[in-house]
Amino acid sequence: MSRLQKPRNRHAFQRLFKRQLSLAYNLHEPAKAEEGRAPLIFLHGLFGSKQNNRSISKALARDLKRPVYALDLRNHGESPHDPTHTYSAMADDVEEFISKHKIHVPVMIGHSMGAKVAMTVALRSPKTVSALVPVDNAPVDASLSSNFPKYIQGMREIEEAGTDKRSEADTILKKYEEALPIRQFLLTNLTTSPIREHLHFRIPIKILAASLDNMGDFPFKDPDEARYDGPTLFIRGTKSHYVADDVLPLIGRFFPRFELRDIESGHWVISEKPNEFKEAVEDFLREKESRDD
């Protein structure tokens, strides 16, 4: 690019200065893959990891007869840490992962934070994505649930307490979250290290705390600027507020071929109703592929 040339839009300009990270992942392969079926890339939510989607990834690989890549996004799981934690930066990482592993037009599935990453990839690079499944999040700027700052506060208190027992960590976290499944989910990030005296969180709490406002944002504001015309399934929890009815027209402008599937659950759709989630994804992909065949 010459000095006089300018990228077509601000997203292209931002990508000139991106710092891509090499993401950790698990590859779940079926006993016998069917040729011509698009692989799946599975992206977790905030404070999650590839381990959260292990069981459902194995089941989808088995039933859909195709590989499933479950990724750790930056600052999560076993992936590297970086002070920049935005959807554009995470999309950079995922696009680099697709290129590096030579994955041909994957189906992108993402929950919560991962849903916005998947949508960002699809809108930026629509020809690299064969289908899209955002789970309980929408392409809008919206405030995060007030629970997330509380979780950060609880994790900080656990580290400051210098505890050596998970039971003690759980007791501290209970002040911030009553639901045991959510506490167990958060505590999957607790680990030990030969260079650390006490239990600590493997996620960079300081970075993620500073990035909470970013997690409510969405990189694209104008549906006339970018659009993904591929098949898209929005899955939402009926007891959640992240995909309200009044945002459906905007979703339709960004993703004109979208379908909507409601599942009776809260925000943690996949863990609360795994069978219903799996059925929704499988029905969607089988119908898509029957039209393509």
Side-chain angles (χ1 to χ4, degrees):
M1 177 178 290
S2 73
R3 217 177 261 181
L4 296 177
Q5 285 180 296
K6 291 183 179 179
R8 289 179 301 169
N9 56 48
R10 64 186 177 88
H11 301 285
F13 180 78
Q14 290 167 351
R15 287 151 74 182
L16 286 176
F17 301 95
K18 60 190 176 182
R19 177 175 181 259
Q20 297 161 328
L21 303 183
S22 182
L23 302 180
Y25 69 101
N26 285 335
L27 173 58
H28 304 281
E29 296 186 277
K32 186 176 181 181
E34 286 187 0
E35 288 188 16
R37 300 307 185 195
L40 272 59
I41 291 181
F42 214 135
L43 307 177
H44 60 79
L46 185 59
F47 305 141
S49 75
K50 61 184 181 299
Q51 294 302 112
N52 302 134
N53 297 321
R54 183 180 178 86
S55 296
I56 194 70
S57 294
K58 286 184 173 182
L60 289 171
R62 179 195 66 220
D63 293 352
L64 292 171
K65 296 181 174 56
R66 70 189 73 196
V68 178
Y69 296 82
L71 275 55
D72 279 338
L73 295 168
R74 62 167 57 196
N75 295 314
H76 288 77
E78 297 174 328
S79 284
H81 299 173
D82 189 272
T84 301
H85 193 81
T86 63
Y87 289 115
S88 294
M90 287 185 278
D92 289 340
D93 298 339
V94 173
E95 289 172 358
E96 173 66 14
F97 181 89
I98 292 170
S99 175
K100 177 181 177 181
H101 293 273
K102 297 180 173 59
I103 302 172
H104 183 62
V105 288
V107 175
M108 300 287 299
I109 302 177
H111 171 249
S112 193
M113 178 182 78
K116 282 191 170 180
V117 177
M119 287 186 277
T120 301
V121 172
L123 289 171
R124 289 196 337 186
S125 307
K127 292 183 179 179
T128 68
V129 179
S130 64
L132 180 66
V133 184
V135 184
D136 214 54
N137 217 335
V140 295
D141 292 344
S143 298
L144 287 185
S145 165
S146 59
N147 290 330
F148 288 101
K150 289 195 303 181
Y151 299 156
I152 289 281
Q153 191 176 351
M155 287 188 279
R156 280 176 166 161
E157 184 175 336
I158 289 169
E159 288 203 332
E160 289 167 0
T163 180
D164 297 317
K165 296 181 179 178
R166 290 181 178 270
S167 58
E168 294 174 356
D170 183 63
T171 299
I172 293 171
L173 197 56
K174 194 173 183 179
K175 295 189 294 184
Y176 302 92
E177 175 54 62
E178 292 184 359
L180 177 60
I182 295 178
R183 296 202 309 274
Q184 290 174 330
F185 159 71
L186 294 170
L187 292 174
T188 59
N189 290 294
L190 206 57
T191 188
T192 58
S193 168
I195 61 173
R196 299 279 291 269
E197 187 177 353
H198 303 291
L199 288 170
H200 62 278
F201 287 92
R202 63 183 173 182
I203 54 176
I205 297 173
K206 185 175 180 180
I207 290 174
L208 294 179
S211 304
L212 286 182
D213 287 344
N214 293 337
M215 296 300 92
D217 294 341
F218 188 65
F220 292 91
K221 315 300 179 187
D222 183 359
D224 293 328
E225 181 182 343
R227 185 173 69 181
Y228 175 68
D229 289 319
T232 302
L233 175 67
F234 275 79
I235 298 176
R236 67 176 177 178
T238 56
K239 300 174 186 176
S240 176
H241 69 276
Y242 282 94
V243 188
D245 287 343
D246 59 9
V247 305
L248 296 181
L250 180 63
I251 288 175
R253 292 183 65 198
F254 276 121
F255 306 100
R257 291 178 62 190
F258 91 97
E259 304 170 27
L260 180 67
R261 181 78 168 256
D262 286 341
I263 293 179
E264 190 176 349
S265 72
H267 179 58
W268 311 94
V269 180
I270 301 170
S271 59
E272 290 181 42
K273 295 293 180 69
N275 292 333
E276 289 87 341
F277 168 78
K278 186 169 78 71
E279 179 184 1
V281 172
E282 291 177 355
D283 288 349
F284 167 68
L285 291 180
R286 284 171 178 150
E287 182 179 347
K288 169 196 172 298
E289 285 158 0
S290 68
R291 293 194 299 264
D292 293 343
D293 289 342

mmCIF file of all heavy atoms in Angstrom, residues 231-255:
data_model
loop_
_atom_site.group_PDB
_atom_site.id
_atom_site.type_symbol
_atom_site.label_atom_id
_atom_site.label_comp_id
_atom_site.label_asym_id
_atom_site.label_seq_id
_atom_site.Cartn_x
_atom_site.Cartn_y
_atom_site.Cartn_z
ATOM 1 N N PRO A 231 -26.183 -17.781 5.805
ATOM 2 C CA PRO A 231 -27.193 -18.269 6.751
ATOM 3 C C PRO A 231 -26.756 -18.034 8.192
ATOM 4 O O PRO A 231 -25.609 -18.304 8.559
ATOM 5 C CB PRO A 231 -27.299 -19.759 6.423
ATOM 6 C CG PRO A 231 -26.077 -20.095 5.646
ATOM 7 C CD PRO A 231 -25.634 -18.848 4.961
ATOM 8 N N THR A 232 -27.663 -17.519 8.991
ATOM 9 C CA THR A 232 -27.351 -17.122 10.361
ATOM 10 C C THR A 232 -28.476 -17.554 11.294
ATOM 11 O O THR A 232 -29.657 -17.326 11.007
ATOM 12 C CB THR A 232 -27.176 -15.594 10.459
ATOM 13 O OG1 THR A 232 -26.144 -15.178 9.558
ATOM 14 C CG2 THR A 232 -26.817 -15.168 11.863
ATOM 15 N N LEU A 233 -28.103 -18.169 12.392
ATOM 16 C CA LEU A 233 -29.076 -18.581 13.408
ATOM 17 C C LEU A 233 -28.758 -17.877 14.713
ATOM 18 O O LEU A 233 -27.709 -18.118 15.320
ATOM 19 C CB LEU A 233 -29.029 -20.100 13.622
ATOM 20 C CG LEU A 233 -29.925 -20.631 14.761
ATOM 21 C CD1 LEU A 233 -31.404 -20.438 14.425
ATOM 22 C CD2 LEU A 233 -29.626 -22.101 15.045
ATOM 23 N N PHE A 234 -29.657 -16.991 15.150
ATOM 24 C CA PHE A 234 -29.532 -16.387 16.468
ATOM 25 C C PHE A 234 -30.285 -17.259 17.468
ATOM 26 O O PHE A 234 -31.472 -17.538 17.284
ATOM 27 C CB PHE A 234 -30.108 -14.973 16.479
ATOM 28 C CG PHE A 234 -29.140 -13.921 16.016
ATOM 29 C CD1 PHE A 234 -28.907 -13.735 14.658
ATOM 30 C CD2 PHE A 234 -28.451 -13.139 16.920
ATOM 31 C CE1 PHE A 234 -28.004 -12.788 14.212
ATOM 32 C CE2 PHE A 234 -27.542 -12.175 16.491
ATOM 33 C CZ PHE A 234 -27.317 -11.999 15.140
ATOM 34 N N ILE A 235 -29.571 -17.689 18.487
ATOM 35 C CA ILE A 235 -30.181 -18.464 19.566
ATOM 36 C C ILE A 235 -30.200 -17.580 20.815
ATOM 37 O O ILE A 235 -29.170 -17.010 21.182
ATOM 38 C CB ILE A 235 -29.392 -19.756 19.847
ATOM 39 C CG1 ILE A 235 -29.392 -20.655 18.611
ATOM 40 C CG2 ILE A 235 -29.980 -20.502 21.042
ATOM 41 C CD1 ILE A 235 -28.550 -21.924 18.768
ATOM 42 N N ARG A 236 -31.345 -17.450 21.431
ATOM 43 C CA ARG A 236 -31.413 -16.610 22.630
ATOM 44 C C ARG A 236 -32.126 -17.329 23.761
ATOM 45 O O ARG A 236 -33.004 -18.165 23.547
ATOM 46 C CB ARG A 236 -32.104 -15.283 22.336
ATOM 47 C CG ARG A 236 -33.576 -15.393 21.988
ATOM 48 C CD ARG A 236 -34.210 -14.019 21.797
ATOM 49 N NE ARG A 236 -35.608 -14.147 21.382
ATOM 50 C CZ ARG A 236 -36.431 -13.125 21.167
ATOM 51 N NH1 ARG A 236 -35.975 -11.882 21.315
ATOM 52 N NH2 ARG A 236 -37.680 -13.322 20.797
ATOM 53 N N GLY A 237 -31.740 -16.992 24.979
ATOM 54 C CA GLY A 237 -32.424 -17.493 26.159
ATOM 55 C C GLY A 237 -33.624 -16.619 26.458
ATOM 56 O O GLY A 237 -33.515 -15.386 26.495
ATOM 57 N N THR A 238 -34.775 -17.235 26.671
ATOM 58 C CA THR A 238 -36.001 -16.468 26.874
ATOM 59 C C THR A 238 -35.986 -15.691 28.189
ATOM 60 O O THR A 238 -36.738 -14.727 28.346
ATOM 61 C CB THR A 238 -37.228 -17.388 26.852
ATOM 62 O OG1 THR A 238 -37.057 -18.424 27.850
ATOM 63 C CG2 THR A 238 -37.385 -18.054 25.491
ATOM 64 N N LYS A 239 -35.132 -16.103 29.141
ATOM 65 C CA LYS A 239 -35.058 -15.401 30.422
ATOM 66 C C LYS A 239 -33.892 -14.407 30.458
ATOM 67 O O LYS A 239 -33.571 -13.853 31.502
ATOM 68 C CB LYS A 239 -34.905 -16.418 31.556
ATOM 69 C CG LYS A 239 -36.061 -17.411 31.642
ATOM 70 C CD LYS A 239 -35.785 -18.488 32.675
ATOM 71 C CE LYS A 239 -36.869 -19.552 32.666
ATOM 72 N NZ LYS A 239 -36.564 -20.668 33.605
ATOM 73 N N SER A 240 -33.256 -14.206 29.328
ATOM 74 C CA SER A 240 -32.136 -13.296 29.212
ATOM 75 C C SER A 240 -32.586 -12.005 28.527
ATOM 76 O O SER A 240 -33.637 -11.966 27.885
ATOM 77 C CB SER A 240 -31.012 -13.954 28.410
ATOM 78 O OG SER A 240 -29.944 -13.068 28.196
ATOM 79 N N HIS A 241 -31.788 -10.941 28.636
ATOM 80 C CA HIS A 241 -32.156 -9.646 28.055
ATOM 81 C C HIS A 241 -31.231 -9.232 26.920
ATOM 82 O O HIS A 241 -31.375 -8.132 26.384
ATOM 83 C CB HIS A 241 -32.117 -8.564 29.135
ATOM 84 C CG HIS A 241 -30.730 -8.254 29.629
ATOM 85 N ND1 HIS A 241 -30.112 -9.006 30.612
ATOM 86 C CD2 HIS A 241 -29.830 -7.314 29.251
ATOM 87 C CE1 HIS A 241 -28.893 -8.516 30.829
ATOM 88 N NE2 HIS A 241 -28.695 -7.492 30.014
ATOM 89 N N TYR A 242 -30.294 -10.078 26.541
ATOM 90 C CA TYR A 242 -29.262 -9.665 25.594
ATOM 91 C C TYR A 242 -29.746 -9.561 24.151
ATOM 92 O O TYR A 242 -29.127 -8.867 23.343
ATOM 93 C CB TYR A 242 -28.062 -10.618 25.670
ATOM 94 C CG TYR A 242 -27.164 -10.356 26.856
ATOM 95 C CD1 TYR A 242 -27.325 -11.049 28.042
ATOM 96 C CD2 TYR A 242 -26.166 -9.391 26.798
ATOM 97 C CE1 TYR A 242 -26.514 -10.801 29.147
ATOM 98 C CE2 TYR A 242 -25.347 -9.128 27.885
ATOM 99 C CZ TYR A 242 -25.529 -9.846 29.057
ATOM 100 O OH TYR A 242 -24.733 -9.585 30.145
ATOM 101 N N VAL A 243 -30.808 -10.268 23.793
ATOM 102 C CA VAL A 243 -31.361 -10.177 22.428
ATOM 103 C C VAL A 243 -32.837 -9.814 22.548
ATOM 104 O O VAL A 243 -33.721 -10.662 22.464
ATOM 105 C CB VAL A 243 -31.183 -11.491 21.644
ATOM 106 C CG1 VAL A 243 -31.588 -11.292 20.175
ATOM 107 C CG2 VAL A 243 -29.737 -11.983 21.706
ATOM 108 N N ALA A 244 -33.089 -8.534 22.752
ATOM 109 C CA ALA A 244 -34.466 -8.058 22.932
ATOM 110 C C ALA A 244 -35.187 -8.000 21.584
ATOM 111 O O ALA A 244 -34.565 -7.886 20.519
ATOM 112 C CB ALA A 244 -34.449 -6.672 23.582
ATOM 113 N N ASP A 245 -36.512 -8.073 21.634
ATOM 114 C CA ASP A 245 -37.300 -8.029 20.399
ATOM 115 C C ASP A 245 -37.030 -6.769 19.594
ATOM 116 O O ASP A 245 -37.051 -6.799 18.355
ATOM 117 C CB ASP A 245 -38.795 -8.112 20.727
ATOM 118 C CG ASP A 245 -39.224 -9.501 21.172
ATOM 119 O OD1 ASP A 245 -38.474 -10.468 20.926
ATOM 120 O OD2 ASP A 245 -40.312 -9.618 21.775
ATOM 121 N N ASP A 246 -36.769 -5.648 20.277
ATOM 122 C CA ASP A 246 -36.621 -4.398 19.537
ATOM 123 C C ASP A 246 -35.306 -4.294 18.763
ATOM 124 O O ASP A 246 -35.128 -3.353 17.983
ATOM 125 C CB ASP A 246 -36.800 -3.187 20.457
ATOM 126 C CG ASP A 246 -35.806 -3.139 21.611
ATOM 127 O OD1 ASP A 246 -34.858 -3.950 21.618
ATOM 128 O OD2 ASP A 246 -35.975 -2.288 22.504
ATOM 129 N N VAL A 247 -34.381 -5.235 18.979
ATOM 130 C CA VAL A 247 -33.139 -5.210 18.174
ATOM 131 C C VAL A 247 -33.227 -6.137 16.962
ATOM 132 O O VAL A 247 -32.315 -6.141 16.121
ATOM 133 C CB VAL A 247 -31.887 -5.574 19.007
ATOM 134 C CG1 VAL A 247 -31.775 -4.674 20.223
ATOM 135 C CG2 VAL A 247 -31.868 -7.036 19.408
ATOM 136 N N LEU A 248 -34.322 -6.890 16.839
ATOM 137 C CA LEU A 248 -34.434 -7.838 15.721
ATOM 138 C C LEU A 248 -34.404 -7.146 14.353
ATOM 139 O O LEU A 248 -33.768 -7.670 13.419
ATOM 140 C CB LEU A 248 -35.698 -8.685 15.875
ATOM 141 C CG LEU A 248 -35.733 -9.613 17.108
ATOM 142 C CD1 LEU A 248 -37.033 -10.410 17.131
ATOM 143 C CD2 LEU A 248 -34.529 -10.549 17.134
ATOM 144 N N PRO A 249 -35.048 -5.970 14.189
ATOM 145 C CA PRO A 249 -34.920 -5.301 12.878
ATOM 146 C C PRO A 249 -33.473 -4.949 12.526
ATOM 147 O O PRO A 249 -33.071 -5.077 11.364
ATOM 148 C CB PRO A 249 -35.779 -4.043 13.049
ATOM 149 C CG PRO A 249 -36.788 -4.415 14.101
ATOM 150 C CD PRO A 249 -36.040 -5.295 15.059
ATOM 151 N N LEU A 250 -32.692 -4.505 13.517
ATOM 152 C CA LEU A 250 -31.281 -4.196 13.256
ATOM 153 C C LEU A 250 -30.504 -5.460 12.906
ATOM 154 O O LEU A 250 -29.667 -5.459 11.998
ATOM 155 C CB LEU A 250 -30.659 -3.514 14.469
ATOM 156 C CG LEU A 250 -29.178 -3.123 14.336
ATOM 157 C CD1 LEU A 250 -28.991 -2.099 13.222
ATOM 158 C CD2 LEU A 250 -28.637 -2.589 15.662
ATOM 159 N N ILE A 251 -30.781 -6.553 13.618
ATOM 160 C CA ILE A 251 -30.148 -7.833 13.288
ATOM 161 C C ILE A 251 -30.438 -8.196 11.832
ATOM 162 O O ILE A 251 -29.555 -8.639 11.089
ATOM 163 C CB ILE A 251 -30.648 -8.941 14.243
ATOM 164 C CG1 ILE A 251 -30.064 -8.740 15.648
ATOM 165 C CG2 ILE A 251 -30.287 -10.329 13.703
ATOM 166 C CD1 ILE A 251 -30.605 -9.711 16.687
ATOM 167 N N GLY A 252 -31.674 -7.963 11.410
ATOM 168 C CA GLY A 252 -32.053 -8.275 10.035
ATOM 169 C C GLY A 252 -31.325 -7.444 9.000
ATOM 170 O O GLY A 252 -31.130 -7.890 7.866
ATOM 171 N N ARG A 253 -30.907 -6.252 9.370
ATOM 172 C CA ARG A 253 -30.154 -5.410 8.427
ATOM 173 C C ARG A 253 -28.700 -5.867 8.331
ATOM 174 O O ARG A 253 -28.110 -5.855 7.254
ATOM 175 C CB ARG A 253 -30.246 -3.953 8.855
ATOM 176 C CG ARG A 253 -31.653 -3.367 8.718
ATOM 177 C CD ARG A 253 -31.655 -1.902 9.093
ATOM 178 N NE ARG A 253 -30.839 -1.116 8.156
ATOM 179 C CZ ARG A 253 -30.382 0.101 8.430
ATOM 180 N NH1 ARG A 253 -30.635 0.665 9.595
ATOM 181 N NH2 ARG A 253 -29.657 0.748 7.521
ATOM 182 N N PHE A 254 -28.101 -6.255 9.469
ATOM 183 C CA PHE A 254 -26.739 -6.781 9.431
ATOM 184 C C PHE A 254 -26.695 -8.187 8.830
ATOM 185 O O PHE A 254 -25.762 -8.539 8.117
ATOM 186 C CB PHE A 254 -26.158 -6.843 10.847
ATOM 187 C CG PHE A 254 -25.548 -5.567 11.343
ATOM 188 C CD1 PHE A 254 -26.036 -4.952 12.491
ATOM 189 C CD2 PHE A 254 -24.469 -4.984 10.692
ATOM 190 C CE1 PHE A 254 -25.464 -3.787 12.975
ATOM 191 C CE2 PHE A 254 -23.890 -3.816 11.157
ATOM 192 C CZ PHE A 254 -24.390 -3.206 12.306
ATOM 193 N N PHE A 255 -27.716 -8.997 9.171
ATOM 194 C CA PHE A 255 -27.731 -10.420 8.794
ATOM 195 C C PHE A 255 -29.087 -10.742 8.162
ATOM 196 O O PHE A 255 -29.987 -11.291 8.821
ATOM 197 C CB PHE A 255 -27.492 -11.291 10.039
ATOM 198 C CG PHE A 255 -26.241 -10.921 10.799
ATOM 199 C CD1 PHE A 255 -26.308 -10.129 11.947
ATOM 200 C CD2 PHE A 255 -24.995 -11.337 10.362
ATOM 201 C CE1 PHE A 255 -25.162 -9.784 12.646
ATOM 202 C CE2 PHE A 255 -23.842 -10.995 11.053
ATOM 203 C CZ PHE A 255 -23.927 -10.205 12.191
#
